Amino acid sequence: MALIFSRKIPLSYALGVFVPSAIHKTALIEDHGGEFFPKRVFERFRALSVFYGQYQLVAPQHFSTNSVSQPGRICWRGDSNVVLLRKLEIALREHQVDEAWVTFIDFKKLYGFPTGSMVNRLISRFSYSSDHHWLQKACDLVFLILKEKPGLLQFPVLTKLSISLARAQMPVPASMILRVMLERENMPPLTILWSVVSHMVKTEIGACLASNFLVQMCDCYLRLSAKGSVRAKVVKPDAMIFNLALDACVKFKLSLKGQEIVELMSKVGVIADAHSVILFSQIHEMNGQRGEIKKLKDQIDKACAPFIGYYCQFYDSLLKLHFKFDDIDSATQLLLDMHKSQESVRNKKLRMDQEKRLLVPIGSNNLKTGLKIQVMPELFQMDSILRVKHKQELVMFRSGKLLLSNRALAKLVNGYRRHGRTTDLSKLLLCMQQDFNVPDQSRFCSDVISACIHLGWLEMAHDILDDMDAAGAPVGSTLHMALLTAYYSREMFKEAKALLRQMRKAGFVVDLSDEMVATSCLSGTANNASSLSNKSDLIDFLVREMREEEKAIPSMVYELNSSIYYFCKAKMMEDAFKTYQRMKHMNIQPTVQTFSYLIDGFSSLGMYRDITILWGDIKRNMGAMDLEVSRDIYEVLHMNFLRGGYFERAMEVIGYMKERNMYCDKWMYKDEFLRLHKNLYWSLKASETRTEAQSKRLEYVKAFRKWVGID
């Protein structure tokens, strides 16, 4: 008779590396005394029964006293299989993950994988853990199963694991599990996918991975749709997924990736809601694409008067771009349009036809084959898990109205002053004071004059006072006295005399002589200056604006970039490149957007060699410290070099990313390589190459394959 028992060895087990089994055979126990043998055996049997629960290691008939003369022998392999399975089941039921893992390793060593249900229960149990160690074990186990026996995995288990990894802020393995599901052309329910993505995008690496996963998801959908597959509907993302990714792109300054996602939203045919419109404007603002926001504005102005407050951020982004383009007229017109939109709210009923879709072009309006995105600017997802944060910098929403901030007013004042258009500024201030009927806006006139006096722009302050007097909207004696004091303190007696005549005519100074007024002003100079500086923070914003103006990107850069963007979208690459050369001849420093538009244009025509030339220019600009390259342009370059087969350049880009500690999404690069170059130089040896160029290329292909983990 043979008796078996399990002994656990206290060793650490690594996945795929197995130590000797914990199942040990004991020597055959024989007893010729008859009665002693059954008693001894059953004592040990009862002890093992306690350990293994209700499972009976040995059938009772095996212990018959009649078998003493010819003792039987238990099949060790079959019995240990059942013992380990039972032990694994108990460990899982009692949430003993350490015990379950050790038992699984024992079983895997002897018999391979347990049943599919047991394997999936093990992965599920690890998924419930908040410990990163066990979550990573679950992920590793999934990939081991995929390699050796993929039929064991159940889809709900992968869904559960993906959300557990995302909640634990493990975006890399979470994205790997999502991509496994996508490769099987199956995805979790959208509500669950929302949760996974929302957790992933809390970090920059997670935002990069979530954005790249969305790109791959869209590619999969478009590929399946082209085939007419019924699976296309399963992998189609919705507006919420796009919004989460776009919001992360805004948060982590991934402007180029954001632009790619906006265009994919159009290609996939997902309808943009109110959240989307706000995020579009922020992406376009980062890329300097004023024309794209203006297209959206036309639709918003027509449809969304009742929701004007929600679109505060939209107007804020557009106003910023007007200032970046140094377009003071457009900035002023936007201010007037916002006021008109608010006035129309009172007489406009809330629209009920919220199912009406608007088509907004992306790129040039004249492109017959250009992209158009479906927009419903009045559609608010009530179950949205996204809360778009409004950065109220230039446009604020207060008491149900859109108001101009002091920072925006400082930009307007400085812009009008720089262009020598004080009269136009006076007209705007007069309009804000008389027509807007908003208390916060009506004080702007006094604030502007006070700020001009404080900063020594006395001629400008005097001109605004004259314009206000001429329009029948005098600003009172306080500001006149402040300006008069400033004239006397700077010994500008001619200007002071002229202002004093105006003040006498207006009745501000009656009984005092010119000398007495001058003496009074000079004696109160300090008090007047102090009172003016305390009235508003407009002065601080004006000072800050003048400092930032010296470091700002010239407006001509935005104009030229807009031209390059238009030409690239129209696939007029010769004109686009000429505009780029013009920038260099004018000694205007190209930006990341300049290069990204050109790369995108060349890529759309398969002109990968031209991208290698641009890469040389990018490196020269980086070397001269004139260009700070973002992570997403490195990614765009790398993907295009892979598509064009320029592996030396691809590895060069990876080197730059490593130097800057930028995360590299190897999974995406590996997928692109396998899609285009799966069998490239698969069996070619270095000794078999025919030319030096081929030998060098083989070296870089092998380096890339090793880096992404193909070999």
Side-chain angles (χ1 to χ4, degrees):
M1 176 67 64
L3 181 65
I4 58 165
F5 62 95
S6 174
R7 179 169 60 90
K8 183 172 71 174
I9 300 175
L11 296 175
S12 298
Y13 294 90
L15 189 60
V17 180
F18 301 99
V19 298
S21 171
I23 302 298
H24 293 271
K25 291 179 291 183
T26 61
L28 183 65
I29 303 175
E30 294 187 29
D31 187 278
H32 297 283
E35 295 183 359
F36 175 74
F37 171 73
K39 182 177 180 182
R40 182 179 177 184
V41 170
F42 277 109
E43 286 296 327
R44 297 195 65 178
F45 171 72
R46 278 195 294 267
L48 290 170
S49 295
V50 173
F51 182 77
Y52 290 116
Q54 296 178 353
Y55 174 75
Q56 295 184 1
L57 273 175
V58 186
Q61 60 267 29
H62 289 175
F63 296 93
S64 171
T65 56
N66 297 327
S67 61
V68 174
S69 59
Q70 293 182 348
R73 192 173 182 88
I74 298 176
C75 176
W76 174 81
R77 181 179 178 85
D79 283 352
S80 62
N81 182 324
V82 178
V83 169
L84 287 174
L85 282 177
R86 180 59 177 164
K87 185 178 178 183
L88 178 58
E89 182 179 355
I90 293 172
L92 291 174
R93 188 174 64 225
E94 297 181 358
H95 316 308
Q96 298 174 351
V97 289
D98 298 86
E99 185 71 24
W101 179 249
V102 171
T103 306
F104 168 76
I105 293 296
D106 282 344
F107 192 96
K108 178 69 171 62
K109 166 63 177 175
L110 292 173
Y111 312 114
F113 287 106
T115 61
S117 61
M118 191 66 72
V119 168
N120 285 282
R121 283 180 61 191
L122 180 64
I123 298 173
S124 295
R125 176 51 54 198
F126 289 162
S127 299
Y128 285 123
S129 174
S130 59
D131 190 332
H132 285 207
H133 169 76
W134 293 116
L135 290 172
Q136 187 62 56
K137 286 284 188 186
C139 187
D140 293 342
L141 181 55
V142 165
F143 282 93
L144 179 64
I145 296 170
L146 286 171
K147 181 179 179 181
E148 298 185 11
K149 205 170 183 180
L152 290 178
L153 285 174
Q154 296 174 358
F155 185 77
V157 172
L158 296 179
T159 300
K160 187 185 302 181
L161 178 58
S162 67
I163 194 170
S164 297
L165 290 166
R167 284 174 176 167
Q169 285 303 295
M170 300 173 68
V172 176
S175 69
M176 293 168 68
I177 299 299
L178 287 179
R179 282 160 163 167
V180 166
M181 291 189 278
L182 184 61
E183 285 179 352
R184 295 184 168 196
E185 297 177 359
N186 206 344
M187 292 305 298
L190 286 174
T191 51
I192 295 179
L193 192 56
W194 296 350
S195 181
V196 176
V197 175
S198 67
H199 287 292
M200 288 179 64
V201 297
K202 291 178 181 178
T203 63
E204 184 172 359
I205 291 177
C208 295
L209 289 168
S211 300
N212 288 341
F213 171 72
L214 177 57
V215 172
Q216 291 176 299
M217 197 174 175
C218 292
D219 289 342
C220 181
Y221 168 77
L222 294 171
R223 185 181 68 254
L224 293 175
S225 296
K227 296 178 181 178
S229 173
V230 294
R231 304 299 300 169
K233 185 178 180 180
V234 179
V235 299
K236 182 179 181 180
D238 66 349
M240 179 63 69
I241 303 297
F242 277 99
N243 289 345
L244 287 168
L246 288 171
D247 183 65
C249 289
V250 172
K251 179 180 179 182
F252 295 106
K253 310 297 183 185
L254 304 175
S255 60
L256 306 184
K257 180 61 68 176
Q259 178 67 27
E260 181 183 6
I261 292 174
V262 171
E263 294 180 3
L264 279 172
M265 196 171 186
S266 170
K267 293 177 182 178
V268 172
V270 173
I271 301 172
D273 59 19
H275 285 324
S276 308
V277 173
I278 299 298
L279 294 166
F280 291 170
S281 67
Q282 293 175 300
I283 294 293
H284 293 321
E285 178 200 332
M286 288 193 292
N287 286 320
Q289 297 168 342
R290 183 173 63 156
E292 299 301 316
I293 304 186
K294 289 169 73 174
K295 295 173 193 174
L296 288 167
K297 178 182 179 296
D298 295 338
Q299 304 299 339
I300 291 174
D301 287 345
K302 294 175 184 176
C304 296
F307 308 107
I308 194 72
Y310 179 80
Y311 286 98
C312 173
Q313 179 64 58
F314 175 86
Y315 290 109
D316 190 278
S317 294
L318 180 54
L319 187 57
K320 286 177 183 174
L321 284 181
H322 285 325
F323 287 127
K324 287 180 179 179
F325 278 77
D326 196 23
D327 191 347
I328 301 301
D329 289 330
S330 293
T332 301
Q333 187 59 50
L334 177 61
L335 178 61
L336 299 175
D337 288 346
M338 288 190 300
H339 174 64
K340 291 176 183 177
S341 297
Q342 293 176 103
E343 289 298 315
S344 66
V345 172
R346 302 175 184 176
N347 302 319
K348 184 172 182 178
K349 295 181 179 179
L350 184 65
R351 287 175 43 151
M352 301 304 294
D353 57 336
Q354 293 192 0
E355 293 301 318
K356 184 176 180 180
R357 303 176 186 180
L358 306 172
L359 289 178
V360 179
I362 300 175
S364 172
N365 286 321
N366 300 323
L367 292 176
K368 294 181 180 180
T369 59
L371 296 174
K372 286 181 171 56
I373 192 163
Q374 301 178 68
V375 178
M376 292 178 64
E378 296 181 3
L379 177 61
F380 292 82
Q381 303 288 353
M382 303 311 294
D383 58 345
S384 174
I385 61 174
L386 176 67
R387 295 291 179 267
V388 178
K389 296 180 180 179
H390 292 183
K391 298 182 296 180
Q392 299 178 352
E393 297 180 12
L394 303 186
V395 180
M396 303 180 298
F397 187 66
R398 298 284 189 275
S399 304
K401 295 180 181 293
L402 291 180
L403 306 176
L404 205 64
S405 70
N406 272 344
R407 182 177 179 184
L409 182 60
K411 288 181 175 292
L412 277 172
V413 171
N414 191 53
Y416 277 118
R417 185 187 71 86
R418 190 172 58 253
H419 291 284
R421 297 173 54 186
T422 304
T423 301
D424 292 330
L425 175 60
S426 299
K427 291 178 181 178
L428 174 62
L429 294 172
L430 187 65
C431 178
M432 294 170 67
Q433 180 169 306
Q434 294 181 342
D435 298 339
F436 282 17
N437 193 29
V438 180
D440 286 343
Q441 309 286 275
S442 61
R443 63 174 176 76
F444 278 167
C445 181
S446 299
D447 288 348
V448 169
I449 297 173
S450 297
C452 289
I453 295 172
H454 183 90
L455 295 173
W457 304 342
L458 304 186
E459 182 180 356
M460 185 175 178
H462 200 154
D463 288 344
I464 297 174
L465 282 173
D466 289 346
D467 291 336
M468 292 297 163
D469 290 340
V475 295
S477 61
T478 304
L479 289 173
H480 285 79
M481 287 299 296
L483 179 58
L484 185 63
T485 300
Y487 277 146
Y488 280 126
S489 65
R490 288 170 175 77
E491 299 182 356
M492 300 172 66
F493 301 117
K494 182 179 178 181
E495 290 80 0
K497 189 172 183 179
L499 178 60
L500 191 54
R501 283 198 300 269
Q502 292 177 246
M503 294 173 66
R504 291 187 185 281
K505 185 177 180 180
F508 296 146
V509 180
V510 180
D511 299 330
L512 299 177
S513 64
D514 290 0
E515 290 76 10
M516 294 175 65
V517 171
T519 302
S520 176
C521 288
L522 290 172
S523 63
T525 297
N527 292 332
N528 288 332
S530 176
S531 62
L532 286 175
S533 62
N534 290 331
K535 284 186 177 179
S536 77
D537 56 358
L538 178 61
I539 297 170
D540 294 333
F541 281 114
L542 278 167
V543 173
R544 187 186 308 173
E545 181 64 26
M546 289 186 290
R547 289 174 181 169
E548 292 178 353
E549 191 176 30
E550 299 175 359
K551 301 179 290 184
I553 297 174
S555 60
M556 181 60 70
V557 174
Y558 293 101
E559 296 286 356
L560 293 172
N561 277 351
S562 295
S563 298
I564 293 173
Y565 175 73
Y566 169 82
F567 289 135
C568 290
K569 288 300 178 184
K571 302 188 187 303
M572 302 165 62
M573 293 311 299
E574 185 176 348
D575 294 298
F577 200 72
K578 284 181 180 178
T579 307
Y580 168 62
Q581 295 285 35
R582 181 185 165 197
M583 291 182 76
K584 294 200 291 186
H585 291 322
M586 296 172 64
N587 291 322
I588 294 177
Q589 176 60 42
T591 64
V592 167
Q593 282 69 31
T594 310
F595 291 114
S596 69
Y597 298 152
L598 290 168
I599 293 170
D600 183 63
F602 286 132
S603 179
S604 66
L605 297 174
M607 302 170 66
Y608 300 111
R609 184 176 181 278
D610 296 85
I611 298 177
T612 65
I613 297 173
L614 275 181
W615 172 231
D617 287 356
I618 292 172
K619 288 189 291 184
R620 280 190 289 274
N621 280 275
M622 288 193 300
M625 306 300 289
D626 293 328
L627 182 70
E628 184 176 351
V629 178
S630 60
R631 179 199 173 279
D632 43 1
I633 196 172
Y634 278 126
E635 189 172 274
V636 169
L637 283 163
H638 186 86
M639 292 295 282
N640 278 284
F641 290 149
L642 280 183
R643 290 163 187 160
Y646 292 96
F647 292 96
E648 182 178 359
R649 299 288 173 266
M651 294 306 296
E652 190 178 5
V653 171
I654 292 300
Y656 275 90
M657 295 181 74
K658 287 181 177 179
E659 287 177 7
R660 290 156 179 76
N661 294 318
M662 295 179 177
Y663 177 76
C664 299
D665 189 358
K666 292 185 181 181
W667 186 297
M668 185 176 66
Y669 302 146
K670 180 179 178 179
D671 269 5
E672 193 71 8
F673 178 86
L674 292 176
R675 185 175 68 87
L676 298 172
H677 311 290
K678 183 176 182 179
N679 298 318
L680 181 64
Y681 297 157
W682 177 256
S683 58
L684 183 66
K685 297 180 180 179
S687 58
E688 299 172 345
T689 55
R690 299 178 180 178
T691 64
E692 184 179 348
Q694 188 183 40
S695 176
K696 191 173 183 181
R697 188 164 187 252
L698 174 61
E699 177 186 345
Y700 285 107
V701 170
K702 288 186 173 181
F704 177 82
R705 294 174 68 95
K706 181 178 180 181
W707 179 70
V708 296
I710 293 177
D711 296 334

PDB file of all heavy atoms in Angstrom, residues 465-484:
ATOM      1  N   LEU A 465      -9.873 110.384 -22.252  1.00  0.00           N
ATOM      2  CA  LEU A 465     -10.720 111.366 -21.564  1.00  0.00           C
ATOM      3  C   LEU A 465     -11.426 112.274 -22.563  1.00  0.00           C
ATOM      4  O   LEU A 465     -12.637 112.541 -22.441  1.00  0.00           O
ATOM      5  CB  LEU A 465      -9.867 112.201 -20.606  1.00  0.00           C
ATOM      6  CG  LEU A 465      -9.465 111.563 -19.271  1.00  0.00           C
ATOM      7  CD1 LEU A 465      -8.483 112.464 -18.528  1.00  0.00           C
ATOM      8  CD2 LEU A 465     -10.696 111.318 -18.403  1.00  0.00           C
ATOM      9  N   ASP A 466     -10.684 112.726 -23.566  1.00  0.00           N
ATOM     10  CA  ASP A 466     -11.286 113.596 -24.584  1.00  0.00           C
ATOM     11  C   ASP A 466     -12.382 112.876 -25.351  1.00  0.00           C
ATOM     12  O   ASP A 466     -13.443 113.452 -25.635  1.00  0.00           O
ATOM     13  CB  ASP A 466     -10.206 114.082 -25.558  1.00  0.00           C
ATOM     14  CG  ASP A 466      -9.266 115.094 -24.918  1.00  0.00           C
ATOM     15  OD1 ASP A 466      -9.598 115.608 -23.822  1.00  0.00           O
ATOM     16  OD2 ASP A 466      -8.186 115.353 -25.493  1.00  0.00           O
ATOM     17  N   ASP A 467     -12.116 111.590 -25.699  1.00  0.00           N
ATOM     18  CA  ASP A 467     -13.115 110.819 -26.451  1.00  0.00           C
ATOM     19  C   ASP A 467     -14.386 110.619 -25.632  1.00  0.00           C
ATOM     20  O   ASP A 467     -15.509 110.702 -26.172  1.00  0.00           O
ATOM     21  CB  ASP A 467     -12.543 109.454 -26.845  1.00  0.00           C
ATOM     22  CG  ASP A 467     -11.438 109.571 -27.885  1.00  0.00           C
ATOM     23  OD1 ASP A 467     -11.413 110.581 -28.611  1.00  0.00           O
ATOM     24  OD2 ASP A 467     -10.593 108.644 -27.968  1.00  0.00           O
ATOM     25  N   MET A 468     -14.217 110.391 -24.346  1.00  0.00           N
ATOM     26  CA  MET A 468     -15.386 110.199 -23.495  1.00  0.00           C
ATOM     27  C   MET A 468     -16.179 111.499 -23.347  1.00  0.00           C
ATOM     28  O   MET A 468     -17.413 111.503 -23.392  1.00  0.00           O
ATOM     29  CB  MET A 468     -14.950 109.687 -22.116  1.00  0.00           C
ATOM     30  CG  MET A 468     -14.382 108.279 -22.139  1.00  0.00           C
ATOM     31  SD  MET A 468     -15.611 107.085 -22.679  1.00  0.00           S
ATOM     32  CE  MET A 468     -14.580 105.696 -23.082  1.00  0.00           C
ATOM     33  N   ASP A 469     -15.478 112.614 -23.192  1.00  0.00           N
ATOM     34  CA  ASP A 469     -16.150 113.912 -23.084  1.00  0.00           C
ATOM     35  C   ASP A 469     -16.903 114.236 -24.371  1.00  0.00           C
ATOM     36  O   ASP A 469     -18.050 114.714 -24.340  1.00  0.00           O
ATOM     37  CB  ASP A 469     -15.134 115.008 -22.783  1.00  0.00           C
ATOM     38  CG  ASP A 469     -14.575 114.900 -21.362  1.00  0.00           C
ATOM     39  OD1 ASP A 469     -15.238 114.245 -20.526  1.00  0.00           O
ATOM     40  OD2 ASP A 469     -13.489 115.444 -21.103  1.00  0.00           O
ATOM     41  N   ALA A 470     -16.248 113.930 -25.504  1.00  0.00           N
ATOM     42  CA  ALA A 470     -16.876 114.228 -26.796  1.00  0.00           C
ATOM     43  C   ALA A 470     -18.109 113.375 -27.029  1.00  0.00           C
ATOM     44  O   ALA A 470     -19.059 113.800 -27.693  1.00  0.00           O
ATOM     45  CB  ALA A 470     -15.860 114.002 -27.915  1.00  0.00           C
ATOM     46  N   ALA A 471     -18.115 112.159 -26.482  1.00  0.00           N
ATOM     47  CA  ALA A 471     -19.254 111.260 -26.666  1.00  0.00           C
ATOM     48  C   ALA A 471     -20.363 111.517 -25.651  1.00  0.00           C
ATOM     49  O   ALA A 471     -21.382 110.822 -25.661  1.00  0.00           O
ATOM     50  CB  ALA A 471     -18.777 109.819 -26.546  1.00  0.00           C
ATOM     51  N   GLY A 472     -20.175 112.519 -24.799  1.00  0.00           N
ATOM     52  CA  GLY A 472     -21.201 112.829 -23.806  1.00  0.00           C
ATOM     53  C   GLY A 472     -21.218 111.861 -22.649  1.00  0.00           C
ATOM     54  O   GLY A 472     -22.268 111.658 -22.018  1.00  0.00           O
ATOM     55  N   ALA A 473     -20.066 111.252 -22.366  1.00  0.00           N
ATOM     56  CA  ALA A 473     -19.979 110.303 -21.256  1.00  0.00           C
ATOM     57  C   ALA A 473     -18.772 110.639 -20.396  1.00  0.00           C
ATOM     58  O   ALA A 473     -17.803 109.870 -20.322  1.00  0.00           O
ATOM     59  CB  ALA A 473     -19.881 108.880 -21.780  1.00  0.00           C
ATOM     60  N   PRO A 474     -18.759 111.821 -19.761  1.00  0.00           N
ATOM     61  CA  PRO A 474     -17.595 112.238 -18.956  1.00  0.00           C
ATOM     62  C   PRO A 474     -17.357 111.270 -17.804  1.00  0.00           C
ATOM     63  O   PRO A 474     -18.287 110.666 -17.277  1.00  0.00           O
ATOM     64  CB  PRO A 474     -18.009 113.623 -18.440  1.00  0.00           C
ATOM     65  CG  PRO A 474     -19.502 113.635 -18.499  1.00  0.00           C
ATOM     66  CD  PRO A 474     -19.886 112.800 -19.672  1.00  0.00           C
ATOM     67  N   VAL A 475     -16.098 111.157 -17.422  1.00  0.00           N
ATOM     68  CA  VAL A 475     -15.722 110.185 -16.398  1.00  0.00           C
ATOM     69  C   VAL A 475     -15.549 110.823 -15.016  1.00  0.00           C
ATOM     70  O   VAL A 475     -15.149 110.144 -14.077  1.00  0.00           O
ATOM     71  CB  VAL A 475     -14.426 109.464 -16.805  1.00  0.00           C
ATOM     72  CG1 VAL A 475     -14.645 108.625 -18.047  1.00  0.00           C
ATOM     73  CG2 VAL A 475     -13.291 110.455 -17.030  1.00  0.00           C
ATOM     74  N   GLY A 476     -15.800 112.111 -14.881  1.00  0.00           N
ATOM     75  CA  GLY A 476     -15.724 112.739 -13.572  1.00  0.00           C
ATOM     76  C   GLY A 476     -14.410 113.448 -13.317  1.00  0.00           C
ATOM     77  O   GLY A 476     -13.465 113.351 -14.093  1.00  0.00           O
ATOM     78  N   SER A 477     -14.361 114.179 -12.208  1.00  0.00           N
ATOM     79  CA  SER A 477     -13.219 115.041 -11.912  1.00  0.00           C
ATOM     80  C   SER A 477     -12.017 114.286 -11.346  1.00  0.00           C
ATOM     81  O   SER A 477     -10.880 114.731 -11.480  1.00  0.00           O
ATOM     82  CB  SER A 477     -13.632 116.120 -10.910  1.00  0.00           C
ATOM     83  OG  SER A 477     -14.066 115.520  -9.687  1.00  0.00           O
ATOM     84  N   THR A 478     -12.250 113.125 -10.720  1.00  0.00           N
ATOM     85  CA  THR A 478     -11.155 112.415 -10.051  1.00  0.00           C
ATOM     86  C   THR A 478     -10.044 112.036 -11.021  1.00  0.00           C
ATOM     87  O   THR A 478      -8.852 112.270 -10.769  1.00  0.00           O
ATOM     88  CB  THR A 478     -11.683 111.150  -9.350  1.00  0.00           C
ATOM     89  OG1 THR A 478     -12.720 111.514  -8.443  1.00  0.00           O
ATOM     90  CG2 THR A 478     -10.557 110.448  -8.602  1.00  0.00           C
ATOM     91  N   LEU A 479     -10.433 111.457 -12.158  1.00  0.00           N
ATOM     92  CA  LEU A 479      -9.437 111.035 -13.138  1.00  0.00           C
ATOM     93  C   LEU A 479      -8.760 112.238 -13.791  1.00  0.00           C
ATOM     94  O   LEU A 479      -7.566 112.192 -14.107  1.00  0.00           O
ATOM     95  CB  LEU A 479     -10.082 110.147 -14.201  1.00  0.00           C
ATOM     96  CG  LEU A 479     -10.496 108.750 -13.715  1.00  0.00           C
ATOM     97  CD1 LEU A 479     -11.275 108.013 -14.797  1.00  0.00           C
ATOM     98  CD2 LEU A 479      -9.268 107.945 -13.326  1.00  0.00           C
ATOM     99  N   HIS A 480      -9.520 113.341 -13.988  1.00  0.00           N
ATOM    100  CA  HIS A 480      -8.910 114.548 -14.541  1.00  0.00           C
ATOM    101  C   HIS A 480      -7.831 115.084 -13.595  1.00  0.00           C
ATOM    102  O   HIS A 480      -6.738 115.471 -14.031  1.00  0.00           O
ATOM    103  CB  HIS A 480      -9.976 115.628 -14.788  1.00  0.00           C
ATOM    104  CG  HIS A 480     -10.840 115.370 -15.996  1.00  0.00           C
ATOM    105  ND1 HIS A 480     -11.877 114.480 -15.986  1.00  0.00           N
ATOM    106  CD2 HIS A 480     -10.797 115.905 -17.260  1.00  0.00           C
ATOM    107  CE1 HIS A 480     -12.456 114.459 -17.169  1.00  0.00           C
ATOM    108  NE2 HIS A 480     -11.820 115.323 -17.967  1.00  0.00           N
ATOM    109  N   MET A 481      -8.155 115.098 -12.319  1.00  0.00           N
ATOM    110  CA  MET A 481      -7.189 115.593 -11.341  1.00  0.00           C
ATOM    111  C   MET A 481      -5.961 114.680 -11.266  1.00  0.00           C
ATOM    112  O   MET A 481      -4.832 115.153 -11.119  1.00  0.00           O
ATOM    113  CB  MET A 481      -7.845 115.674  -9.960  1.00  0.00           C
ATOM    114  CG  MET A 481      -8.843 116.815  -9.820  1.00  0.00           C
ATOM    115  SD  MET A 481      -8.085 118.449 -10.067  1.00  0.00           S
ATOM    116  CE  MET A 481      -6.943 118.502  -8.705  1.00  0.00           C
ATOM    117  N   ALA A 482      -6.196 113.374 -11.388  1.00  0.00           N
ATOM    118  CA  ALA A 482      -5.069 112.433 -11.361  1.00  0.00           C
ATOM    119  C   ALA A 482      -4.145 112.669 -12.550  1.00  0.00           C
ATOM    120  O   ALA A 482      -2.909 112.664 -12.414  1.00  0.00           O
ATOM    121  CB  ALA A 482      -5.590 111.007 -11.367  1.00  0.00           C
ATOM    122  N   LEU A 483      -4.733 112.903 -13.714  1.00  0.00           N
ATOM    123  CA  LEU A 483      -3.916 113.154 -14.901  1.00  0.00           C
ATOM    124  C   LEU A 483      -3.194 114.492 -14.788  1.00  0.00           C
ATOM    125  O   LEU A 483      -2.007 114.610 -15.154  1.00  0.00           O
ATOM    126  CB  LEU A 483      -4.799 113.130 -16.151  1.00  0.00           C
ATOM    127  CG  LEU A 483      -4.099 113.407 -17.487  1.00  0.00           C
ATOM    128  CD1 LEU A 483      -2.976 112.391 -17.720  1.00  0.00           C
ATOM    129  CD2 LEU A 483      -5.097 113.390 -18.634  1.00  0.00           C
ATOM    130  N   LEU A 484      -3.887 115.501 -14.279  1.00  0.00           N
ATOM    131  CA  LEU A 484      -3.266 116.815 -14.105  1.00  0.00           C
ATOM    132  C   LEU A 484      -2.080 116.723 -13.146  1.00  0.00           C
ATOM    133  O   LEU A 484      -1.012 117.315 -13.392  1.00  0.00           O
ATOM    134  CB  LEU A 484      -4.312 117.809 -13.577  1.00  0.00           C
ATOM    135  CG  LEU A 484      -3.858 119.262 -13.439  1.00  0.00           C
ATOM    136  CD1 LEU A 484      -3.496 119.841 -14.807  1.00  0.00           C
ATOM    137  CD2 LEU A 484      -4.949 120.095 -12.778  1.00  0.00           C
TER     138      LEU A 484
END
